[in-house]
Amino acid sequence: MAIQLNRDMYLAAAAKRLTFSQYLEKLDPTPEGEKLDAFERQLKEQGIITKSIYEKGIYADPVEAFYRTSESQVLFPEYIARQVREAIVQDTVLPYLIGQNTIIQGDTYRTFYVEDQPEAARKKRVTEASELPRAKIVGKEQTVKIYKFGRAIEASYEVIRRMQIDMLALHVRRIAIQAAKDKVEEIISVIKNGDGNNNAAPVLNLTALDSGATAGTLTAKGFLAFLMEFEPFPCNTLIAAKDAFLQIVLTNIPNLSTADLLRLLAQGASTGISLSAPQLPSGQFRLFWNSTVDSMRVHGINNQYAIEQVTEAGSDVTEADKFITRQTQVLTISENTGYSKMFVEATKTLNIGA
């Protein structure tokens, strides 16, 4: 299908809360069996080669290729945005901390929660014609804070235009990797402190969970008791300080050489929790470390129910668009994003040091 590309399509996509790629798919759906999506077909239509295949003697075009026509220029902002999104999805931590993605118009968002009293709202037997207990879904008092995450490439306009497209993509991906790390730090802050709606993660001390434990030394009993505190959302993801990370691994996988330990971690296998206890995790955690977590602390979450990512529609393409239209010397890659806590019960913190 022939599509006449123009810059107003970005505004139309944002109004529908779609990325430019999604918008093109609406206009030109990808046939079953077709390897290229609508955006990639537009690149092909414009004769733009974005990847080098050395063994075949094929080399990516310079960024100049996006400037050949007014239509090819329209593809440049979305190409940059796709590189950012792909790099973030491939990040080693961020995708595993987000349970829900929400696209919004504007820069403010009020998230929701279930308002109920556990005893009153529990589903139970009622007599005929009696009213069932109610749970209300209401808006939170504080709105989600939206921040701009990203970096900028500073170089002369001419240098960037003459750079091969896949080399520019490599630099853009490097920027996206750092943006992902910044987002992880913000998520950790929301897990720990809440999103402004009085929903900070409860802190559980090791010695309270295991009276025989010594503060500062994780015990298997204390760790198991911590996991049993997660109800109704079993903990499946842990973000720990480096010192706490070491204790978790060595407590649950004892008496192994370093080589054996690394092999087990790489394979996702463990000699730790293996009993069939459906209320506990299935036996496989995602365990991460992060330097922003307080010493001897571990944040546990159910990643399906803990964090909502809120993104302003179209915020990932505006700066790239300015670069190509105004011929600036700084290519800024950014996205307006915020984070909220969906269910406080899905987050808890273990303090090994107390």
Side-chain angles (χ1 to χ4, degrees):
M1 175 182 176
I3 296 177
Q4 190 72 31
L5 298 172
N6 62 78
R7 296 186 182 282
D8 289 341
M9 296 171 74
Y10 282 101
L11 297 176
K16 295 179 180 292
R17 299 187 180 186
L18 300 174
T19 65
F20 188 74
S21 290
Q22 289 175 312
Y23 186 72
L24 287 179
E25 281 293 333
K26 294 285 187 182
L27 299 178
D28 182 20
T30 299
E32 185 176 351
E34 171 64 55
K35 293 182 178 180
L36 303 179
D37 64 25
F39 179 80
E40 291 167 331
R41 292 198 297 275
Q42 287 299 318
L43 288 174
K44 184 177 180 180
E45 182 73 21
Q46 296 298 322
I48 300 174
I49 300 175
T50 61
K51 294 181 180 179
S52 298
I53 308 176
Y54 178 77
E55 66 274 15
K56 295 183 178 181
I58 298 174
Y59 300 97
D61 288 327
V63 179
E64 182 84 39
F66 282 108
Y67 294 74
R68 291 173 184 156
T69 67
S70 59
E71 284 194 282
S72 61
Q73 287 183 22
V74 174
L75 299 175
F76 181 70
E78 179 61 8
Y79 175 77
I80 296 296
R82 282 169 73 112
Q83 299 306 309
V84 172
R85 290 194 292 266
E86 287 175 12
I88 288 177
V89 167
Q90 294 168 4
D91 185 72
T92 55
V93 181
L94 182 62
Y96 301 105
L97 302 184
I98 299 171
Q100 175 70 29
N101 282 286
T102 300
I103 303 298
I104 63 170
Q105 297 287 350
D107 58 1
T108 59
Y109 173 72
R110 192 178 301 277
T111 189
F112 306 93
Y113 72 101
V114 176
E115 183 183 69
D116 64 3
Q117 297 297 322
E119 291 301 320
R122 183 179 298 138
K123 186 177 180 180
K124 53 189 177 182
R125 295 178 184 175
V126 294
T127 58
E128 186 176 352
S130 296
E131 185 177 356
L132 289 170
R134 296 189 181 186
K136 295 171 61 179
I137 298 177
V138 298
K140 293 182 179 178
E141 293 183 7
Q142 299 296 322
T143 57
V144 175
K145 296 179 180 178
I146 304 296
Y147 300 96
K148 186 182 288 282
F149 293 91
R151 290 294 187 276
I153 299 175
E154 184 173 357
S156 73
Y157 179 67
E158 293 301 322
V159 165
I160 289 184
R161 285 186 63 165
R162 284 164 174 72
M163 184 185 296
Q164 273 191 198
I165 293 174
D166 51 0
M167 178 55 73
L168 176 62
L170 192 63
H171 285 75
V172 169
R173 284 173 175 269
R174 171 63 184 87
I175 291 172
I177 288 171
Q178 185 56 53
K181 293 183 183 302
D182 294 341
K183 289 182 176 184
V184 168
E185 292 183 7
E186 179 61 23
I187 290 173
I188 291 173
S189 176
V190 171
I191 292 171
K192 174 185 175 182
N193 303 311
D195 57 17
N197 287 283
N198 194 31
N199 54 2
V203 178
L204 305 174
N205 292 332
L206 173 64
T207 53
L209 296 168
D210 178 6
S211 59
T214 301
T217 303
L218 181 64
T219 62
K221 179 180 178 181
F223 185 56
L224 179 59
F226 173 67
L227 298 179
M228 292 173 67
E229 290 293 324
F230 282 83
E231 199 172 348
F233 308 117
C235 175
N236 59 15
T237 304
L238 300 168
I239 313 102
K242 289 184 178 180
D243 52 5
F245 181 97
L246 290 170
Q247 291 215 31
I248 291 173
V249 172
L250 296 177
T251 297
N252 287 278
I253 312 178
N255 304 321
L256 290 178
S257 69
T258 301
D260 289 336
L261 181 59
L262 290 175
R263 184 173 63 255
L264 285 172
L265 291 175
Q267 294 172 348
S270 168
T271 58
I273 298 172
S274 58
L275 293 174
S276 178
Q279 289 173 289
L280 291 173
S282 60
Q284 183 175 356
F285 292 96
R286 292 189 179 95
L287 175 59
F288 304 102
W289 72 80
N290 190 280
S291 59
T292 64
V293 180
D294 295 335
S295 177
M296 288 295 177
R297 298 268 176 141
V298 183
H299 300 306
I301 68 170
N302 181 300
N303 69 335
Q304 201 175 355
Y305 295 97
I307 297 297
E308 176 187 19
Q309 177 174 266
V310 181
T311 304
E312 183 182 351
S315 62
D316 58 346
V317 299
T318 54
E319 299 297 337
D321 185 54
K322 290 177 184 176
F323 172 81
I324 199 169
T325 55
R326 300 180 185 177
Q327 301 186 7
T328 60
Q329 293 185 342
V330 178
L331 173 58
T332 303
I333 296 118
S334 64
E335 184 178 66
N336 298 338
T337 305
Y339 296 95
S340 73
K341 185 175 292 190
M342 292 186 287
F343 301 103
V344 69
E345 306 98 314
T347 64
K348 288 179 174 60
T349 298
L350 171 62
N351 182 8
I352 297 174

